[in-house]
Amino acid sequence: MIPIELPEKYYLDYFEQLLTFVQDKYGRLLSRREKRFIRKYDQLPEDARCLFVRLTNRRGCFFRVGKLHYAEIKDFDEVLGLLLNQKFFESLAVRHSREIAAVLAVFTKADILAFLAATEPILKKEVARLKKEEAISQIIARADVRKLTRHIAQQEPVVRVRFEGEIEVFKFLFFGNIHGDMTQFVVRDIGYIKTETLDTTKLHALFKTRKEAEDKLLVSKLYQNFKDRRDILEQPAAGIYEWFQEKQIAADALTDLARPLFDKLCLRLGKLLEQQQLPKFALNVYQHTHTAPSRERQVRLLHKLGLTFEALDLCQQIGEAPQNAEEKYFSQDFCDMLSKKRKVKRTTHYLQHSTSITLDVESRASVEMGTLEYFRSQGYEGVFSENYLWRGFFGLFFWDIIFDQDSEALHNPLQTTPSDFYTPEFLKRRRKQVDQRLQALAYPDRFEHIVRHHFETKVGMHNPVVGWHESLLPLVEQCYRKLQPRQISSVLLEMAKNLRENTCGFPDLFIWNEDSYSFIEVKSPNDHLSAQQLYWLHFFEEHQIEAKVVRVQWQG
């Protein structure tokens, strides 16, 4: 690849593209404070805007002036003075003592010890052997932070960047999440990732109301806070549960865009509480959401707590309207277990009654490839395709429908996946187009034109279900030749109904010869069949698609 050199002030171009986009799509949702910032920012000369953007793109909000060097910014001191005068920056002062952790973070441990030597000599000796982060924690707890902050301000110039709240909102509105980063512009423009070209005039705002944006931002921060407490602070689950309870988030009051992340938070916290043997707390948290596997976990916890009647009642509710394969088979198995009708799980029963073959023990390293060689010796051709085949088939066949901008699921020019892709809305919004496209399966020339066109014109481009490899197109075409149009249509439509769940669990192998074909799920002696795998095996059987499980036994 020929290296791509970005313009000197590329970061300013990107930020102002973002700002213009937000004003265009979300102008009516912006607060007076946010609009006032934009007016003030627009009045700054270019170099001042550059320095401000440079620092807002960096981590943290405090910076040592002596460490700031940007060749493209002329008359640095003059620019810095202007930003201080216009209140875009603040000089470090005693009022910032409440942010002492962020202030100390920009200094080395040696610097911090030097500050303590002048202000807290006893504490300096006690924290000298600690790691920087641990030393800062002790300083926050024990030092006179106002005195310390005043001393640091006297030693060297430190500035604090203001308007971080406004910048956070602008970036959140543009990216739709708190992890959106300006480097995504760079990644796109240097060709590191190839994305679908979108018409910016047809992009739709993700948030229709200010509450939608504020709710999702609130829950995004809440979820990040949970992960920090769990992973960084390593806080006990009971303490995180108390923190969660104190937040008193009313799930029913959240707008739809915020609910999926809130549900994810509840599932992660519930799992943590179960792992740390706090079943009552876990049950309480799971009851905040109905998203799978919440109801399954509730049934198991109710049963564990001796509430058998309640467990059976919820289990029956799941059976009446399962959200996915896991819920479907769990409800059947658990209800049978509670009523003592069946002891063996349906996945286990299916596996026990499957075909078995014997392979040499050398195939242990890759039981799938060993099984594939076994069938090749029987005169079959084949590939270890697993989910790759059907995901790629779906992506190539429906590419233009997936990225249809009239679906209102594409919201910014850097987006790689439609926002509704993993929701029921995906098919609901595109049902007419999907049905029309499925009719093309009956016409080989039309089918070949569609998949070949997308393979050739979109190669290397990001698609949530396509893994690019030279084998993809031949494999999709071979599948098309072996199955009937109605069979392929049934699989693709089933995938479209639930792309989060139904793009996985497909059999490991696809084999064929001149007269027949089969999809084969391979299981070693200690392997188990998942609910999603059983779901597809039953689905294939229902639609007369050849598929089976092969259990491998080792020779010798």
Side-chain angles (χ1 to χ4, degrees):
M1 292 179 61
I2 300 174
I4 297 175
E5 188 171 324
L6 297 174
E8 184 179 53
K9 296 180 178 179
Y10 67 92
Y11 56 90
L12 182 65
D13 293 338
Y14 292 152
F15 179 79
E16 294 184 350
Q17 285 177 37
L18 180 147
L19 211 56
T20 299
F21 183 90
V22 169
Q23 288 177 274
D24 179 46
K25 302 296 182 183
Y26 297 103
R28 63 186 180 82
L29 303 187
L30 298 180
S31 69
R32 290 183 180 178
R33 185 183 179 94
E34 290 152 2
K35 291 177 180 178
R36 184 165 60 250
F37 163 82
I38 293 173
R39 289 195 298 272
K40 283 174 61 70
Y41 172 85
D42 286 342
Q43 293 169 5
L44 292 173
E46 184 175 284
D47 277 2
R49 301 200 307 275
C50 284
L51 182 56
F52 177 76
V53 173
R54 274 285 194 187
L55 298 194
T56 59
N57 284 343
R58 289 176 56 174
R59 181 176 298 180
C61 53
F62 287 93
F63 298 93
R64 302 169 70 178
V65 172
K67 301 292 184 180
L68 300 176
H69 302 286
Y70 300 111
E72 75 277 12
I73 298 176
K74 312 303 180 186
D75 300 319
F76 181 87
D77 291 341
E78 181 180 332
V79 169
L80 177 64
L82 175 63
L83 290 170
L84 286 166
N85 181 262
Q86 295 295 315
K87 309 299 184 186
F88 283 85
F89 292 169
E90 295 176 333
S91 294
L92 180 64
V94 173
R95 65 178 177 278
H96 297 123
S97 59
R98 63 185 181 279
E99 299 177 272
I100 190 63
V103 174
L104 294 176
V106 305
F107 291 95
T108 65
K109 183 184 173 184
D111 292 329
I112 294 171
L113 293 178
F115 297 148
L116 291 177
T119 60
E120 305 272 355
I122 296 176
L123 182 58
K124 182 254 184 182
K125 293 180 181 179
E126 295 178 3
V127 303
R129 294 178 179 272
L130 299 178
K131 293 182 179 179
K132 179 180 173 180
E133 293 74 16
E134 295 171 341
I136 290 175
S137 295
Q138 288 296 312
I139 292 168
I140 293 171
R142 300 168 57 189
D144 181 342
V145 294
R146 290 175 61 83
K147 179 180 178 182
L148 178 59
T149 303
R150 184 183 298 110
H151 176 75
I152 295 172
Q154 292 169 350
Q155 298 306 301
E156 70 171 278
V158 175
V159 295
R160 187 195 193 286
V161 178
R162 298 185 65 235
F163 300 111
E164 68 271 23
E166 288 82 350
I167 301 301
E168 178 186 60
V169 169
F170 299 146
K171 290 182 178 180
F172 183 76
L173 290 173
F174 181 87
F175 292 107
N177 60 75
I178 62 173
H179 303 294
D181 191 284
M182 299 304 290
T183 58
Q184 290 178 233
F185 284 93
V186 178
V187 168
R188 178 198 64 184
D189 288 350
I190 64 175
Y192 187 78
I193 185 171
K194 187 178 178 182
T195 60
E196 184 66 61
T197 301
L198 302 176
D199 182 348
T200 56
T201 65
K202 292 185 177 181
L203 294 172
H204 295 263
L206 173 61
F207 306 105
K208 302 299 188 293
T209 67
R210 182 76 185 201
K211 178 169 170 51
E212 283 186 334
E214 290 178 346
D215 278 3
K216 188 173 181 185
L217 181 56
L218 168 68
V219 176
S220 297
K221 290 182 176 181
L222 194 69
Y223 184 65
Q224 185 61 50
N225 197 338
F226 159 72
K227 291 200 298 182
D228 291 344
R229 290 170 181 270
R230 180 193 62 186
D231 303 333
I232 299 175
L233 302 177
E234 297 182 346
Q235 188 172 351
I240 299 178
Y241 174 75
E242 292 177 6
W243 161 82
F244 178 79
Q245 291 293 88
E246 290 171 359
K247 293 301 178 182
Q248 296 183 333
I249 301 295
D252 292 340
L254 293 173
T255 48
D256 290 344
L257 289 176
R259 278 305 299 265
L261 192 56
F262 181 75
D263 294 338
K264 185 177 180 180
L265 167 60
C266 294
L267 293 175
R268 296 294 184 275
L269 176 54
K271 181 178 181 179
L272 180 65
L273 292 165
E274 283 195 83
Q275 291 171 339
Q276 296 196 16
Q277 305 300 313
L278 296 168
K280 291 183 178 179
F281 289 172
L283 179 61
N284 178 276
V285 171
Y286 282 134
Q287 288 171 340
H288 284 79
T289 176
H290 295 301
T291 298
S294 169
R295 296 191 296 177
E296 175 188 340
R297 302 316 308 168
Q298 289 180 58
V299 170
R300 293 186 184 278
L301 288 167
L302 288 167
H303 184 251
K304 182 177 182 178
L305 293 169
L307 301 171
T308 305
F309 177 80
E310 290 86 344
L312 182 58
D313 181 59
L314 181 54
C315 195
Q316 291 171 342
Q317 292 179 39
I318 295 173
E320 292 169 0
Q323 297 179 39
N324 57 22
E326 291 286 347
E327 283 201 338
K328 175 182 177 180
Y329 296 118
F330 163 76
S331 65
Q332 295 172 357
D333 290 337
F334 208 83
C335 285
D336 285 351
M337 184 274 290
L338 290 178
S339 57
K340 300 181 180 180
K341 290 181 180 179
R342 179 197 291 258
K343 295 183 179 179
V344 179
K345 293 170 61 177
R346 281 164 172 76
T347 50
T348 304
H349 181 267
Y350 194 99
L351 186 57
Q352 289 173 344
H353 290 78
S354 61
T355 303
S356 67
I357 62 172
T358 300
L359 296 181
D360 191 279
V361 71
E362 292 181 358
S363 297
R364 281 182 183 272
S366 178
V367 64
E368 294 87 2
M369 293 305 296
T371 305
L372 183 57
E373 288 302 320
Y374 169 87
F375 281 104
R376 284 173 175 165
S377 71
Q378 305 294 312
Y380 286 92
E381 296 181 66
V383 292
F384 178 13
S385 60
E386 201 171 17
N387 303 317
Y388 177 76
L389 166 56
W390 285 108
R391 288 169 63 91
F393 202 130
F394 189 97
L396 290 181
F397 192 55
F398 293 125
W399 188 291
D400 52 323
I401 297 175
I402 292 171
F403 291 101
D404 177 24
Q405 291 195 236
D406 291 333
S407 66
E408 300 187 17
L410 294 164
H411 314 292
N412 76 67
L414 304 181
Q415 194 171 340
T416 58
T417 302
S419 61
D420 64 353
F421 192 74
Y422 295 109
T423 76
E425 292 298 311
F426 176 83
L427 181 57
K428 187 182 299 183
R429 291 172 175 171
R430 300 167 179 79
R431 187 60 192 249
K432 183 177 179 180
Q433 295 164 281
V434 167
D435 287 342
Q436 289 176 343
R437 179 59 52 83
L438 290 173
Q439 294 175 16
L441 292 169
Y443 306 94
D445 290 344
R446 286 178 58 189
F447 168 79
E448 183 176 332
H449 172 75
I450 292 168
V451 295
R452 281 184 174 272
H453 173 73
H454 289 148
F455 185 85
E456 293 167 0
T457 61
K458 308 297 183 180
V459 62
M461 194 173 289
H462 182 274
N463 182 304
V465 288
V466 173
W468 289 106
H469 189 272
E470 61 185 13
S471 67
L472 177 59
L473 182 60
L475 185 58
V476 167
E477 291 179 331
Q478 184 65 261
C479 180
Y480 175 76
R481 286 192 289 269
K482 290 300 180 182
L483 275 68
Q484 299 174 22
R486 64 173 179 80
Q487 294 172 321
I488 297 174
S489 178
S490 67
V491 174
L492 297 179
L493 188 57
E494 192 69 11
M495 292 173 69
K497 290 176 182 177
N498 189 342
L499 286 161
R500 183 173 298 282
E501 303 285 348
N502 293 345
T503 50
C504 62
F506 290 103
D508 297 308
L509 308 181
F510 175 44
I511 64 170
W512 66 87
N513 59 24
E514 187 174 340
D515 302 317
S516 64
Y517 73 90
S518 185
F519 293 94
I520 297 175
E521 180 63 39
V522 182
K523 292 298 175 187
S524 62
N526 298 321
D527 205 355
H528 302 281
L529 195 65
S530 74
Q532 189 63 31
Q533 290 167 346
L534 181 58
Y535 176 85
W536 277 121
L537 288 165
H538 280 163
F539 186 90
F540 281 8
E541 182 180 352
E542 179 185 349
H543 293 273
Q544 295 84 49
I545 300 172
E546 293 297 324
K548 61 183 176 181
V549 174
V550 169
R551 286 183 294 115
V552 172
Q553 297 178 343
W554 303 120
Q555 188 174 34

